[in-house]
Amino acid sequence: MSDLRETTHKNSRNTTAHVALPQVHLRINGEKVLPRSGESWDHVNPVTGEVDATVPLADAAGVDDAVRHAHTAFDGWRRTAPARRRELLLKLADLIDRHSDEIVRLGAAENGRPARSGSGLAALAAEWTRYYAGWADKIIGEVTGSPQQDGELGYTLPQPYGVVALVVTWNAPLMSIAMKAPAALAAGNTVVIKPSELTPFTGELFMDLVEEAGFPPGVVNVLPGTADAGNRLVTHPLVRKVSFTGGLPTATKILTACAETAKPVVLELGGKSANIVLEDADLDAACAFNMGAAFGGLAGQGCGLPTRMLVHESIHDEVVARIRTLVDAIQAGDPTDPATGYGPVVSQSAMDRIMGMIERAVADGATLVAGGGRMDRPGYYIEPTVLTDVDPSSEIAQIEVFGPVVAITTFSTDEEAITIANSTRYGLSSYIQTKNLTRAHRIAAELEAGEVLINGAPNLAVHRPFGGIGISGGGKEGGRAGFEEFLRVKSVAITIR
């Protein structure tokens, strides 16, 4: 395992919690190296607002080396028996499970994710890895031409791309890796993973586990870095496909960079997901689900969270009363404390941006139901914030906050709810709460989103394709569709005379 050093921070009870952080490296071809340029980044613990580590950043030479080694390793990996690829991925899944406590601790230090939700994500990452291990020996083509009817024998060959660049986000770094790397590897590709500079420690641990599982050198490479490293990676001529999770501005740059060579790209971007609460819903369950999803993971810093509640006008007051009670019960504190259900946002700049959006929403006429301010404590803590009387066309209803803010808007008919839900440029997730499943299915068919989850169905189930439309991205992660993203299909035909 990586070398460890101790860092400390103060928790809500003014005691000292110790988190061992791995020494971060560029992980290239089975070796731990440092950038020749000496570039580095001061990582700030969002719980304290203080620097807790200095980490190296991939430079141009590091990116080139990683891609070159991944390209060299590709031919051997693609020819590796599918059963062997499956075996290695299953070992990796077991190792993720075995090191879940360490994964949770690193998450608390990296981005402030409470251990309560971090343990669930670690288990989910292991499950995604196992699922795609099972696809490794199920790469099959199809017969497309008949000698009797077409005069040819035609068939298809699904084949891996080669080197795939995986650019992952900071809010759930291991989960973001698990949604991409196992599928790419099972299909026979090699990968170069670029974690965010905000969350470099999980990538270091992941690479430790990859090597312990026995993957050949060069098949998996990890390069912590900034946007400059990401740009160098996605534009590299030996990178054959890109999978990116993050925001629209970066996605736009990636698309522009890849356009010159028509390089295929999978984009998992932001969302402004609506949770439609109909008048016949179980209100206790609906409100608990919405508040738990919006606040209980990482202070609202998730792309598919139900950040808009569309509430039937007849139940608005009942919903607001329940929400006040639920928000009052949220416990903010040290993410390493199992009692903590709510942590900080990731950085000072994130906090400033979110607070600005809250202030503008109130100025635009929204009513504060709960929160609205910064917590009186070290670090980047914002009060769980709920707004009602939100105009569907306002900034807070149209733009992803990526923070602990829920906006409530009322509606009177199903058609109005559908119109409001579809009124943003996003299209990632939508939610429906009702006891009438016929009504639920009818509304689900009209919602413009990559997925619709009814009555608390869980997000990110590996067997279901996940991915958005509009400015929420394109392509899929999860399910068979997520596997096929990493295979390109070749047609073969021979004339039969």
Side-chain angles (χ1 to χ4, degrees):
M1 305 302 289
S2 297
D3 297 333
L4 299 178
R5 67 184 186 83
E6 290 290 321
T7 185
T8 65
H9 63 80
K10 297 290 185 179
N11 68 16
S12 59
R13 295 170 178 81
N14 294 320
T15 59
T16 302
H18 296 268
V19 178
L21 299 178
Q23 179 63 51
V24 176
H25 307 82
L26 312 187
R27 306 296 291 269
I28 301 172
N29 198 39
E31 297 183 357
K32 299 178 180 180
V33 300
L34 296 175
R36 297 168 209 170
S37 65
E39 292 184 62
S40 63
W41 168 271
D42 286 337
H43 180 269
V44 176
N45 189 319
V47 176
T48 64
E50 299 175 355
V51 174
D52 61 6
T54 298
V55 299
L57 296 176
D59 54 10
V63 172
D64 293 346
D65 285 348
V67 174
R68 177 172 52 84
H69 283 295
H71 178 70
T72 301
F74 170 62
D75 189 61
W77 182 246
R78 71 180 298 208
R79 298 179 191 280
T80 298
R84 175 59 176 163
R85 295 203 297 267
R86 181 187 65 218
E87 177 187 5
L88 292 174
L89 285 165
L90 289 173
K91 287 182 179 178
L92 178 59
D94 289 343
L95 287 167
I96 292 172
D97 272 337
R98 197 179 307 162
H99 291 271
S100 61
D101 288 347
E102 187 176 356
I103 291 166
V104 170
R105 288 194 298 271
L106 290 181
E110 280 185 317
N111 59 21
R113 177 175 291 279
R116 186 185 298 179
S117 65
S119 59
L121 277 185
L124 192 57
E127 181 59 24
W128 275 68
T129 305
R130 287 193 184 92
Y131 176 86
Y132 280 115
W135 277 103
D137 60 353
K138 299 174 181 63
I139 302 174
I140 57 174
E142 61 180 352
V143 175
T144 59
S146 164
Q148 292 83 8
Q149 297 179 14
D150 306 304
E152 70 171 42
L153 174 63
Y155 60 94
T156 61
L157 286 175
Q159 296 181 320
Y161 281 85
V163 180
V164 179
L166 308 180
V167 183
V168 301
T169 187
W170 54 263
N171 65 327
L174 179 63
M175 193 64 225
S176 191
I177 291 172
M179 293 174 72
K180 302 175 186 296
L185 295 169
N189 302 280
T190 56
V191 299
V192 179
I193 303 169
K194 193 203 81 66
S196 167
E197 69 274 16
L198 297 175
T199 51
F201 309 117
T202 294
E204 184 77 14
L205 174 59
F206 177 77
M207 197 63 218
D208 285 345
L209 303 185
V210 165
E211 293 179 0
E212 188 175 344
F215 283 80
V219 171
V220 182
N221 308 269
V222 175
L223 302 174
T226 63
D228 289 341
N231 181 67
R232 181 83 175 191
L233 177 60
V234 302
T235 58
H236 198 289
L238 292 179
V239 169
R240 303 305 187 191
K241 187 165 186 174
V242 176
S243 182
F244 168 73
T245 297
L248 180 62
T250 302
T252 301
K253 293 176 182 177
I254 289 174
L255 287 171
T256 301
C258 292
E260 185 175 348
T261 57
K263 188 176 298 184
V265 179
V266 176
L267 299 174
E268 199 277 279
L269 308 179
K272 196 68 184 177
S273 302
N275 182 22
I276 300 173
V277 185
L278 300 172
E279 70 274 18
D280 65 346
D282 179 333
L283 296 189
D284 287 334
C287 293
F289 165 77
N290 205 118
M291 295 301 101
F295 298 142
L298 188 62
Q301 297 169 114
C303 56
L305 304 180
T307 56
R308 288 187 295 156
M309 283 190 81
L310 309 187
V311 178
H312 192 275
E313 60 187 7
S314 67
I315 57 172
H316 172 268
D317 292 349
E318 296 177 71
V319 166
V320 168
R322 284 171 168 81
I323 285 174
R324 283 198 181 102
T325 300
L326 290 166
V327 172
D328 287 345
I330 292 174
Q331 288 187 291
D334 184 337
T336 62
D337 185 342
T340 297
Y342 183 80
V345 298
V346 72
S347 66
Q348 179 70 51
S349 61
M351 184 170 65
D352 293 342
R353 177 184 55 78
I354 295 163
M355 291 303 302
M357 293 187 74
I358 294 170
E359 291 166 6
R360 290 193 296 274
V362 174
D364 288 342
T367 301
L368 271 174
V369 171
R374 178 178 178 177
M375 290 185 175
D376 183 18
R377 56 180 301 123
Y380 309 128
Y381 286 82
I382 297 174
E383 295 172 338
T385 299
V386 181
L387 300 156
T388 192
D389 303 318
V390 173
D391 184 334
S393 64
S394 65
E395 178 193 51
I396 204 72
Q398 289 290 317
I399 304 299
E400 184 180 44
V401 178
F402 221 70
V405 180
V406 171
I408 300 176
T409 299
T410 58
F411 66 89
S412 59
T413 67
D414 292 2
E415 290 69 27
E416 184 183 8
I418 293 167
T419 298
I420 295 172
N422 291 341
S423 67
T424 76
R425 295 192 298 155
Y426 300 93
L428 187 54
S429 302
S430 285
Y431 303 83
I432 303 171
Q433 313 294 328
T434 179
K435 295 175 183 175
N436 185 331
L437 293 186
T438 297
R439 192 179 181 188
H441 287 301
R442 184 181 64 80
I443 294 173
E446 300 299 323
L447 292 174
E448 296 174 0
E451 68 173 2
V452 180
L453 302 173
I454 300 170
N455 292 342
N459 206 308
L460 300 183
V462 64
H463 58 275
R464 291 199 308 261
F466 176 76
I469 60 177
I471 64 170
S472 289
K476 296 296 182 182
E477 295 178 326
R480 179 175 179 173
F483 182 61
E484 292 175 343
E485 287 286 359
F486 295 103
L487 292 166
R488 50 188 176 186
V489 177
K490 177 186 294 181
S491 293
V492 180
I494 181 170
T495 299
I496 302 298
R497 292 189 174 91

